[in-house]
Amino acid sequence: MPAVLDDVLGWLRCPNCGKPLSRVGETARCVSGHSFDIARQGYLSLLPPGWHGGADTAAMVAARAEFLAGGHFAAIAAAVADEARLAAAGQPGRCIAEIGAGTGYYLSAALDPLPAAFGLALDASKYALRRAAQADQRIGAVGCDIWHGLPVADGAAAALLDIFAPRNAAEFRRVLAPGGTLIVVAPNPAHLRELAPLGLLNQQPAKGERIARMLAPHFTQEAERQVTTTMNLSQADVRNVVMMGPAARHIEPDQLRATAAELPVTLSVTLSRWR
Ligand SMILES: C[S@@+](CC[C@H](N)C(=O)[O-])C[C@H]1O[C@@H](n2cnc3c(N)ncnc32)[C@H](O)[C@@H]1O
Ligand SMILES: [Zn+2]
């Protein structure tokens, strides 16, 4: 099992009783006797037993990994890394946690300028967790369902990242250290608009407002910035960007084959910072 799980265990808590966890062989246990296996693939699953939710499938995660490796979302990763560095600067805590971390692409970018920090990649998909555990030696990958409550100790995180992922405002507040920062990335209506004919859901115009309404009881927005550019996507890139999201469930392979060899596609997201 990766050494990093020992480094991050102190920031975790038992998902059943909330007590601290300690390592016993290839398991993590709390004092009440709840025990959780560390998977061969290097992640710790704190998911409720038998959990079957809407986590990303193996095919979605593989498409995401391949698409992100092309660097098309590098501008988002750079903006996130910048914000995480600022967030961690004023914080004694050294834990950067990402909710719905997927392959660990953004968390790994956030850790780059922070040599003393550790990352917690939280996700419900075992396929995502396997990748996140490999993404960086300083990332501990942990399985959880954010609607069940985060298996993270109160005030553990200096910064919390939520990038195209579900949000649980009350839990985010609880696990952030006093003075800690929440960094949210969400798509704008123009994001990937050229791919709408392929069944990619149009982003709801009022998404920013919905996020603000949901976070408002627990957070105050401190800043906001736009990340906008045009990507040149190959047919393979287009296939991956479609297949990494929920549209993968209804797309016909013929529709993908019919796309242009090279397609200019809009990247347009809002990054917001909350305290
Ligand atoms: C759209 S993907 C974004 C992944 C990553 N942040 C990125 O942008 O590359 C959403 C992620 O949230 C995870 N997820 C969905 N529902 C979840 C839940 N209830 N608890 C934890 N993770 C969840 C999925 O498995 C998936 O990896
Ligand atoms: Zn317990």
Side-chain angles (χ1 to χ4, degrees):
M1 88 141 211
V4 64
L5 282 178
D6 284 325
D7 294 315
V8 301
L9 210 54
W11 286 314
L12 297 172
R13 68 177 209 178
C14 174
N16 297 345
C17 68
K19 300 223 167 86
L21 293 168
S22 49
R23 166 103 181 277
V24 182
E26 294 305 289
T27 64
R29 277 184 212 175
C30 73
V31 288
S32 316
H34 302 119
S35 175
F36 306 91
D37 290 338
I38 294 160
R40 257 185 311 116
Q41 294 93 348
Y43 66 88
L44 168 65
S45 179
L46 299 179
L47 274 166
W51 186 84
H52 292 291
D56 281 13
T57 62
M60 288 164 81
V61 174
R64 179 173 298 279
E66 216 174 290
F67 180 78
L68 292 173
H72 307 292
F73 282 2
I76 305 176
V80 167
D82 215 30
E83 292 289 339
R85 188 177 45 77
L86 288 174
Q91 279 289 329
R94 295 172 302 125
C95 173
I96 313 288
E98 181 172 3
I99 310 298
T103 62
Y105 175 72
Y106 298 103
L107 185 55
S108 161
L111 290 174
D112 264 352
L114 298 169
F118 285 93
L120 264 186
L122 303 160
D123 205 288
S125 162
K126 63 180 176 187
Y127 307 105
L129 292 166
R130 288 174 190 174
R131 303 247 183 193
Q134 301 292 321
D136 193 303
Q137 288 188 343
R138 288 185 285 138
I139 291 182
V142 177
C144 69
D145 171 15
I146 73 154
W147 304 121
H148 186 84
L150 296 173
V152 178
D154 293 1
L160 204 55
L161 315 179
D162 185 291
I163 302 165
F164 305 123
R167 289 163 288 269
N168 180 340
E171 277 295 272
F172 289 5
R173 174 70 275 155
R174 181 184 66 74
V175 305
L176 260 182
T181 307
L182 167 65
I183 296 158
V184 176
V185 174
N188 294 329
H191 189 56
L192 307 179
R193 69 172 161 219
E194 294 81 0
L195 304 181
L198 291 176
L200 230 62
L201 292 177
N202 275 324
Q203 316 298 343
Q204 301 102 329
K207 187 149 191 144
E209 282 164 39
R210 277 198 301 121
I211 293 173
R213 219 174 312 124
M214 158 178 237
L215 295 177
H218 302 280
F219 290 93
T220 308
Q221 183 168 337
E222 213 180 52
E224 182 175 285
R225 63 158 121 168
Q226 303 298 316
V227 181
T228 310
T229 182
T230 303
M231 308 174 283
N232 260 321
L233 301 189
S234 69
Q235 239 179 19
D237 295 328
V238 169
R239 187 187 61 234
N240 285 329
V241 82
V242 173
M243 299 311 273
M244 74 191 205
R249 300 202 171 92
H250 11 262
I251 188 105
E252 300 294 333
D254 282 352
Q255 279 177 279
L256 287 172
R257 275 194 286 272
T259 54
E262 278 271 309
L263 195 64
V265 175
T266 305
L267 179 164
S268 176
V269 302
T270 300
L271 183 155
S272 53
R273 191 204 306 152
W274 306 77
R275 273 187 206 268

